[in-house]
Amino acid sequence: TALSEISHGKSTTPHTRSTFSTTQFGCHYCSYCRKIHVIKAVMDEVQRLNEDPAVHAVLLALPLSILSRRLLNTIKPEKDVDGLSDLNVGRMISGDLSEGFLSPVVGAVMELLARYGMCVCVCAGVGVGVLSSLITTANMPRHVVHPSCLHVLFLCQVRQADVLVAMGTGPVALPQTCFKPGMTLINCGPAVTPGAAWKRGAGVDVEISRAQVPKPIWQLAEEVGLLPQELEAYGRSKAKVGLALLARLRHQPNGKYVLVAGITPTPLGEGKSTVTIGLVQALSAHLKLNSFACLRQPSQGPTFGVKGGAAGGGYAQVIPMEEFNLHLTGDIHAITAANNLVAAAVDARILHEATQSDKALYRRLVPTINGVRRFSAIQLRRLQRLGINKSDPGALTPEEVSSFVRLDIDPAKVTWQRVIDTNDRFLRKVTIGQAPTEKGHSRQTQFDIAVASEIMAILALADGLADMKARLGRMVVGSSRSGQPVTADDLGVTGALAVLMKDAVKPTLMQSLEGTPVFVHAGPFANIAHGNSSILADRLALKLVGEEGYVVTEAGFGADIGMEKFFNVKCRASGLRPDVVVLVATVRALKMHGGGPSVTAGLPLPREYTEENLKLVSEGCSNLKKQIEIAHLFGVPVVVALNIFKTDTQAEIDLVCRVAQASGAEAAVPCHHWARGGRGSVDLARAVKEAAAWENGFRFLYSLQTPIAEKIRTIAQKVYGADDIELSPEAQAKIDYYNQQGYDTLPICMAKTHLSLSHIPDKKGVPTGFILPIRDIRASIGAGFIYPLVGTMSTMPGLPTRPCFYDVDLDPATEEISGLF
């Protein structure tokens, strides 16, 4: 079992205990007690593995501060694959290799040294005694040194060596001058190169995820200050958190609020989720600050389509990643059920009104049950909206009965679509009602991806169950033939929707690979919705971390899409104000914006992206500059996080960081969280802490009182860089209608491609001189925004030639899932 940051560095903070503050959450271990607690936890786990017949070998990959002789001797000699227990060491030194294990590392080194016969310098670490003894037995000249500091003796001994055997586990830099020409380096630890720090490798995401056993969810909940009655467990590793927590902690000051956004991405994504997780791991484990990540739940459409999952990756991911990327706690299924219940109610109501008289409709809508006839609560609300102040069904006049029973929905003006959480291009336009039982009442409609449902946006923007229910009732599903909006409340379905969504409104608690708490809640796309996780998750987390803590949340796609909506839509609804923006960039995305060839998911990257090309990077930095400028429009400080890939060169990294700081970023930090976990983002965490400490002048981009067209024009010109907007006749008609209905004071949520600042996906960098076409405008009245459709945006993705599902499989024997990423 890997134990939190112990497996990542020198910290002694245990995986089984939180780093949350003493004053808020009770007694905290002192340093010594924490260490004892961790050693005991490791020993208990080793004892369990000793008795497990399915485990043939045990390897302890822990820092020297924990890896005591007592701990090594806990392993049964026959399972001590590293050969470091006293019994196995004694056998090796005495030359008795007939029993037990010879350490694979030591054995490999001896095999290599047998080919030389030269002076050997052994850089001290675990196994150095065994190796030194064996080298002596083989009559090889050798020095044993410890590079705790680069003192003269150490450097002199290294310079004399023909072979340097590096046995250490911690990072160390060796200057070029200490290496004798022709010297051979045998590295038994992380990667060592002259003049560079040792680096830790990383495996496949799912293998890394499975290598770490999540701590029980009840334990995580206790660590972050949740009471047992506030937790609803869904298995061992995830749980819903009750909203009563907000009332309990209502007097607790909020923590710092950090938004992770990005530059305009490639189709592969640029790693905002990994940056988010890496950052909170660094804040928690390394800076010892209370921190929480708040992420969106991924849609199964992209998971099985092109992009894959959204749990993060490498050593900066949410675990268990399979549960995160699939059904989780069923929120998206609840949204799908609720959405499609509304759709069914719409078409059923059209059919029944077309085939029944007023009297028959009234008799069925308000039936006599056990001799009593009464209106339901939702029907009484409809009567009040109609101005009919009567509660006795027998007291209505024929005209009042007709007004009550007839919504008179115009089939051509139904705006509510069915949804499914699958990428299915053939559902973009369908004909329904073709069975003879529907009596010829067919019409054309479409399916959207489930996360595009207005109910998903409501879940993300609601501040509680009551607010969510009210918003569900306000959803407009279409218009009557007289032009009046028809709502879910008019259909009588609001209560049923609230019942379907009552559990979905609670955020889901999970954890990162290093045991940092994560809320996963809501998942609206950023190109066709507002693209942010829920307000409720953010509020809960901000209370839990306390005044000195940090909540890191993520906005979808580029800053021009997700961040702009976070500020103008989400922050208006929540009343929360961000302290700092972390802007994620990658060298490969900047090369694309600098004129590099197109990138296709599933195909090898062109060589322009795997070889140094400073010209492409330099020209592509125009997009980075623009996104920093967009963040500054809102008065929020920016820290650039450069997500490092193995193909990035130091010259490219340095160039991006220089340009970012010259463009107004408070800091620009290379990040290695994918390969190193939290310790790979420590510099980023320090930069975020420093930037968040400053006062900022947060401001909205426009006033809600500004006319609809001017709000759209402001976003187009100031954020996207357009010269102007062009409204289609249909879009202008919608604006006139929304003005008439009083919707003109709602914020704007643009539905636009995420692959370009413009409406044309192929236009990279910073396009200029274009007119932004607004082909239609729609309203999500329940969610509380108006969304213009820019260009040819589709709300239902399609599958590529080779979708991700080709690689997804299940082992029936172990029930292990493979192929998810």
Side-chain angles (χ1 to χ4, degrees):
T1 304
L3 296 176
S4 186
E5 60 278 4
I6 285 175
S7 61
H8 300 296
K10 297 180 180 178
S11 170
T12 56
T13 306
H15 185 72
T16 52
R17 193 69 181 173
S18 76
T19 57
F20 277 56
S21 67
T22 304
T23 55
Q24 188 178 346
F25 300 111
C27 180
H28 201 223
Y29 294 141
C30 68
S31 178
Y32 175 77
C33 290
R34 282 202 305 269
K35 183 174 177 179
I36 297 301
H37 181 81
V38 173
I39 292 174
K40 183 181 182 303
V42 177
M43 292 178 70
D44 290 345
E45 178 67 10
V46 170
Q47 293 286 10
R48 185 187 70 79
L49 296 173
N50 281 341
E51 304 306 320
D52 187 346
V55 176
H56 302 141
V58 178
L59 169 67
L60 294 180
L62 297 172
L64 295 178
S65 60
I66 298 296
L67 203 56
S68 63
R69 300 306 310 170
R70 181 185 175 196
L71 190 54
L72 288 169
N73 288 326
T74 307
I75 307 173
K76 281 186 175 180
E78 60 268 30
K79 292 190 177 185
D80 176 23
V81 70
D82 231 3
L84 295 178
S85 63
D86 286 349
L87 182 57
N88 280 333
V89 169
R91 286 169 176 166
M92 283 187 284
I93 292 175
S94 65
D96 179 14
L97 300 179
S98 60
E99 294 185 60
F101 282 99
L102 170 65
S103 166
V105 173
V106 173
V109 171
M110 290 303 298
E111 184 177 337
L112 287 170
L113 292 181
R115 303 175 188 175
Y116 293 90
M118 305 175 182
C119 179
V120 178
C121 183
V122 182
C123 190
V126 177
V128 67
V130 177
L131 179 59
S132 181
S133 296
L134 291 178
I135 291 173
T136 301
T137 302
N139 294 318
M140 298 178 185
R142 57 98 177 95
H143 299 292
V144 178
V145 296
H146 195 291
S148 56
C149 62
L150 298 180
H151 50 70
V152 175
L153 174 62
F154 171 60
L155 294 177
C156 289
Q157 290 174 332
V158 171
R159 287 193 192 103
Q160 295 172 20
D162 299 300
V163 178
L164 173 65
V165 181
M167 296 291 292
T169 57
V172 64
L174 302 177
Q176 294 276 1
T177 55
C178 78
F179 291 95
K180 171 176 157 180
M183 188 207 74
T184 299
L185 171 66
I186 301 177
N187 172 29
C188 303
V192 181
T193 55
W198 295 2
K199 297 182 179 180
R200 177 182 180 182
V204 179
D205 290 350
V206 69
E207 294 173 351
I208 295 171
S209 175
R210 288 185 185 142
Q212 173 66 297
V213 178
K215 51 189 164 186
I217 196 65
W218 59 262
Q219 179 184 328
L220 177 66
E222 182 183 0
E223 290 172 5
V224 302
L226 292 169
L227 302 178
Q229 61 267 30
E230 293 167 341
L231 201 70
E232 299 173 15
Y234 281 64
R236 186 182 180 278
S237 55
K238 57 186 183 293
K240 288 286 190 180
V241 175
L243 303 184
L245 174 67
L246 286 172
R248 179 168 69 84
L249 298 180
R250 61 186 177 277
H251 299 304
Q252 170 87 301
N254 287 342
K256 298 292 186 182
Y257 197 26
V258 180
L259 174 68
V260 176
I263 64 170
T264 305
T266 68
L268 308 177
E270 308 316 311
K272 291 191 303 299
S273 297
T274 61
V275 168
T276 299
I277 297 300
L279 175 56
V280 294
Q281 290 181 161
L283 288 165
S284 294
H286 299 273
L287 299 193
K288 310 302 180 190
L289 297 166
N290 298 348
S291 66
F292 238 103
C294 292
L295 298 179
R296 291 173 295 161
Q297 179 183 354
S299 164
Q300 288 180 188
T303 297
F304 292 114
V306 175
K307 185 176 178 289
Y315 288 93
Q317 60 174 296
V318 181
I319 57 172
M321 63 93 75
E322 297 98 324
E323 295 181 24
F324 178 92
N325 282 323
L326 295 176
H327 307 285
L328 198 60
T329 48
D331 293 357
I332 292 181
H333 299 314
I335 289 166
T336 302
N339 184 100
N340 292 344
L341 178 60
V342 176
V346 168
D347 288 301
R349 190 61 176 260
I350 292 172
L351 171 67
H352 293 314
E353 288 189 21
T355 56
Q356 298 180 51
S357 65
D358 290 351
K359 185 176 180 180
L361 281 169
Y362 193 49
R363 186 175 68 251
R364 290 182 171 89
L365 287 170
V366 192
T368 300
I369 301 174
N370 297 325
V372 178
R373 193 181 194 193
R374 61 167 60 94
F375 293 115
S376 67
I378 200 167
Q379 289 176 327
L380 287 171
R381 290 204 298 271
R382 171 160 170 76
L383 288 170
Q384 291 172 358
R385 288 195 299 276
L386 292 171
I388 302 172
N389 297 314
K390 298 177 181 179
S391 58
D392 179 5
L396 269 65
T397 66
E399 292 78 13
E400 290 172 336
V401 166
S402 182
S403 296
F404 173 75
V405 300
R406 296 208 174 271
L407 301 179
D408 199 26
I409 300 171
D410 186 345
K413 295 183 179 178
V414 173
T415 56
W416 195 263
Q417 316 295 352
R418 288 164 172 82
V419 300
I420 186 172
D421 196 29
T422 303
N423 288 4
D424 191 345
R425 66 178 68 247
F426 285 93
L427 294 179
R428 289 170 178 168
K429 181 173 284 190
V430 296
T431 301
I432 60 172
Q434 296 188 86
T437 50
E438 275 55 72
K439 304 175 182 178
H441 291 278
S442 63
R443 67 181 182 88
Q444 279 197 340
T445 184
Q446 68 184 56
F447 276 74
D448 294 337
I449 189 84
V451 292
S453 170
E454 183 176 354
I455 297 176
M456 175 62 87
I458 287 173
L459 177 66
L461 292 170
D463 66 7
L465 186 56
D467 181 48
M468 182 185 72
K469 182 180 176 183
R471 288 171 178 267
L472 291 170
R474 292 198 297 269
M475 295 186 305
V476 173
V477 300
S479 300
S480 68
R481 287 183 170 85
S482 62
Q484 293 304 305
V486 178
T487 67
D489 223 44
D490 291 327
L491 286 169
V493 75
T494 305
L497 299 180
V499 169
L500 286 171
M501 294 292 295
K502 72 179 182 65
D503 292 321
V505 76
K506 304 166 189 174
T508 299
L509 177 66
M510 295 187 76
Q511 63 192 280
S512 76
L513 198 74
E514 296 183 14
T516 304
V518 179
F519 273 138
V520 185
H521 201 213
F525 279 178
N527 52 352
I528 53 180
H530 72 285
N532 292 275
S533 61
S534 76
I535 289 173
L536 282 169
D538 291 356
R539 281 185 168 164
L540 287 171
L542 286 165
K543 293 298 183 185
L544 285 169
V545 299
E547 191 170 9
E548 301 301 319
Y550 288 78
V551 172
V552 183
T553 189
E554 175 197 348
F557 297 129
D560 58 303
I561 299 289
M563 185 190 73
E564 181 270 317
K565 295 172 184 178
F566 175 88
F567 291 144
N568 282 323
V569 178
K570 184 176 179 179
C571 288
R572 288 185 196 271
S574 69
L576 299 172
R577 301 293 182 262
D579 293 286
V580 61
V581 168
V582 174
L583 190 65
V584 179
T586 62
V587 168
R588 72 181 183 190
L590 294 172
K591 286 180 177 179
M592 179 190 70
H593 289 296
S598 60
V599 174
T600 303
L603 296 180
L605 287 172
R607 64 180 180 83
E608 287 86 349
Y609 297 100
T610 59
E611 299 175 1
E612 183 174 279
N613 193 319
L614 296 177
K615 183 175 183 295
L616 286 180
V617 174
S618 178
E619 294 180 358
C621 279
S622 60
N623 189 269
L624 175 60
K625 295 177 187 177
K626 176 63 176 176
Q627 302 288 10
I628 294 172
E629 176 188 315
I630 293 169
H632 286 161
L633 289 173
F634 298 91
V636 182
V638 178
V639 173
V640 171
L642 185 59
N643 189 13
I644 301 299
F645 287 75
K646 65 181 181 181
T647 54
D648 300 344
T649 69
Q650 192 61 47
E652 291 172 333
I653 294 168
D654 292 343
L655 173 60
V656 175
C657 291
R658 285 198 307 272
V659 170
Q661 291 189 281
S663 301
E666 308 303 329
V669 184
C671 299
H672 302 271
H673 45 273
W674 193 94
R676 303 179 192 174
R679 68 188 176 97
S681 287
V682 170
D683 290 341
L684 175 63
R686 291 195 179 107
V688 166
K689 182 183 177 184
E690 184 177 346
W694 303 335
E695 289 290 331
N696 69 61
F698 176 78
R699 56 187 175 271
F700 295 116
L701 191 62
Y702 53 80
S703 165
L704 292 180
Q705 306 308 314
T706 303
I708 293 174
E710 284 307 308
K711 293 176 195 171
I712 298 172
R713 183 173 284 108
T714 297
I715 295 171
Q717 293 178 334
K718 292 189 176 180
V719 177
Y720 307 151
D723 286 348
D724 203 350
I725 62 172
E726 182 179 48
L727 295 170
S728 70
E730 185 176 6
Q732 185 59 60
K734 289 288 186 65
I735 288 176
D736 295 340
Y737 175 72
Y738 296 149
N739 288 337
Q740 176 190 345
Q741 296 297 326
Y743 302 155
D744 54 313
T745 57
L746 293 175
I748 302 298
C749 182
M750 304 285 278
K752 184 188 79 72
T753 179
H754 60 287
L755 296 173
S756 172
L757 284 163
S758 74
H759 59 288
I760 304 171
D762 292 337
K763 286 190 175 294
K764 306 301 182 184
V766 183
T768 57
F770 64 94
I771 304 295
L772 194 73
I774 310 299
R775 67 176 176 87
D776 195 7
I777 300 178
R778 298 175 187 171
S780 292
I781 304 305
F785 56 72
I786 288 172
Y787 62 103
L789 298 179
V790 179
T792 57
M793 274 299 302
S794 173
T795 51
M796 170 56 82
L799 289 172
T801 304
R802 192 186 190 282
C804 294
F805 61 64
Y806 273 87
D807 300 312
V808 178
D809 204 356
L810 178 72
D811 185 330
T814 64
E815 297 188 7
E816 282 195 348
I817 298 169
S818 60
L820 283 176
F821 66 95

